Amino acid sequence: VRFVEAHVDLRDAFGIERRGVGYGQPVSHPLRESPTIEKLRGYPWPDPETEDTSGIRERIEPLAGGYAIAGGSWSPFWHDAVDLVGMETMACLMYDDPVFVETMLNRIVDYYVSLNTRIFEEAGDLIDLVFIRNDFGTQTGPLISKEHFERFITPCVKRLAEVAHRYDIRVMLHSSGGIRPLLPSIIGTGIDALHALQPDCPGMQGAALKKEFGRRIVLSGGIDARGVLLHGTRAEVRLSVLAALGVLAPGGGYMAAPSVDAITEDIPVANVLAMFDAIAEWQDGR
């Protein structure tokens, strides 16, 4: 079995040119040169009213009741902001012009709040979960300080969570990497679940996270996708999955999943099947 991801060559809603696999990587940063409040005011921000949300209800209604439905926009506001100005410029602006950063993030989140509101008005009673994807960590730790996270990021996540909760929809936030120092702030935003725990990063091991945060938030991930799933045997995968379930599943509040946002094509299919078999084995043995 071979998985082939489509390559994109497009300009996204925020005017960022993207090329490459999947969502694509930015090849332009429209606001990088001379970032000012005046430039933000004159920027052609996207209009959520132009997005076509018709037909969503018809597409998901046959599945409602039989499956958990994840809906709404994935709202990658942090990625959009970084891609508009570039990572190095963003790092400087958080110190040099925090008002610019706050204003830019608010404009981006305005778009996603309005878009999600339209989607939830259309089919919110059928949607169980909205999945918000923004990466705040690297392999060794957070991308930004806790102070900057609380100033710039948590208000954005709160706004996105609040609009979903108004429609009785649960919120799962995705972030890869070593985000342990940010977890109290993340949980404080009011989200319901966190994906995907990456056990090969400092502080992200399942037992400690379950003990400290397991009563406050649903945890997801924790099955090492860059280690045993990628390089192990079926037997090693089984043991690793059962070990992860052994520390994360007791008492509930855990959704079994690999430690990546999606299973990548380099993971052997046999190991993917071994992971699902081990999860089923755990469930049957409860």
Side-chain angles (χ1 to χ4, degrees):
V1 178
R2 183 184 178 196
F3 298 95
V4 179
E5 290 192 76
H7 281 67
V8 300
D9 187 350
L10 54 80
R11 184 184 299 270
D12 70 15
F14 294 97
I16 301 164
E17 295 177 25
R18 296 188 177 279
R19 294 185 193 135
V21 174
Y23 186 54
Q25 294 299 315
V27 295
S28 70
H29 304 290
L31 289 171
R32 179 167 59 184
E33 301 302 323
S34 303
T36 63
I37 293 295
E38 290 72 23
K39 198 166 183 179
L40 283 180
R41 290 179 182 141
Y43 194 72
W45 297 102
D47 181 0
E49 294 298 322
T50 64
E51 298 289 348
D52 184 8
T53 60
S54 63
I56 291 176
R57 186 174 194 87
E58 288 74 16
R59 290 199 298 272
I60 65 176
E61 197 162 24
L63 304 173
Y67 298 88
I69 305 296
S73 170
W74 61 305
S75 307
F77 64 88
W78 169 246
H79 296 285
D80 294 327
V82 169
D83 292 346
L84 279 168
V85 299
M87 188 71 237
E88 291 182 359
T89 302
M90 173 64 88
C92 294
L93 286 170
M94 287 189 287
Y95 290 94
D96 297 337
D97 196 347
V99 174
F100 177 94
V101 176
E102 289 173 328
T103 304
M104 177 173 58
L105 285 169
N106 279 330
R107 292 301 299 268
I108 295 169
V109 175
D110 285 345
Y111 169 79
Y112 288 122
V113 166
S114 296
L115 178 57
N116 276 339
T117 299
R118 294 185 63 218
I119 294 170
F120 300 155
E121 283 291 318
E122 170 89 10
D125 59 313
L126 302 178
I127 296 172
D128 300 291
L129 176 76
V130 60
F131 186 74
I132 300 170
R133 186 186 183 279
N134 286 270
D135 289 326
F136 304 120
T138 70
Q139 192 68 27
T140 58
L143 274 168
I144 59 177
S145 69
K146 180 180 178 181
E147 292 73 24
H148 280 157
F149 188 86
E150 291 181 345
R151 176 166 186 175
F152 300 119
I153 304 301
T154 58
C156 298
V157 178
K158 283 180 180 178
R159 289 183 62 195
L160 292 166
E162 286 167 358
V163 70
H165 288 158
R166 284 202 296 270
Y167 293 85
D168 198 29
I169 297 170
R170 299 294 180 261
V171 179
M172 175 179 279
L173 176 70
H174 166 87
S175 176
S176 298
I179 57 171
R180 172 62 185 81
L182 305 179
L183 289 184
S185 301
I186 289 173
I187 293 171
T189 64
I191 65 166
D192 304 287
L194 178 66
H195 174 275
L197 311 184
Q198 197 171 330
D200 55 329
C201 292
M204 298 302 294
Q205 290 69 46
L209 296 179
K210 179 74 171 184
K211 180 179 180 180
E212 187 164 358
F213 303 112
R215 294 183 178 274
R216 300 171 60 191
I217 194 169
V218 172
L219 299 171
S220 180
I223 298 172
D224 189 0
R226 309 316 301 164
V228 67
L229 275 184
L230 186 62
H231 302 295
T233 64
R234 287 179 57 90
E236 289 169 337
V237 169
R238 173 181 175 273
L239 291 175
S240 179
V241 171
L242 293 177
L245 287 162
V247 297
L248 286 163
Y254 174 62
M255 297 173 64
S259 60
V260 288
D261 46 349
I263 296 172
T264 52
E265 64 179 36
D266 53 348
I267 295 177
V269 173
N271 285 356
V272 175
L273 297 177
M275 175 183 69
F276 286 121
D277 287 344
I279 293 170
E281 178 184 340
W282 171 273
Q283 291 175 317
D284 292 341
R286 290 172 61 186

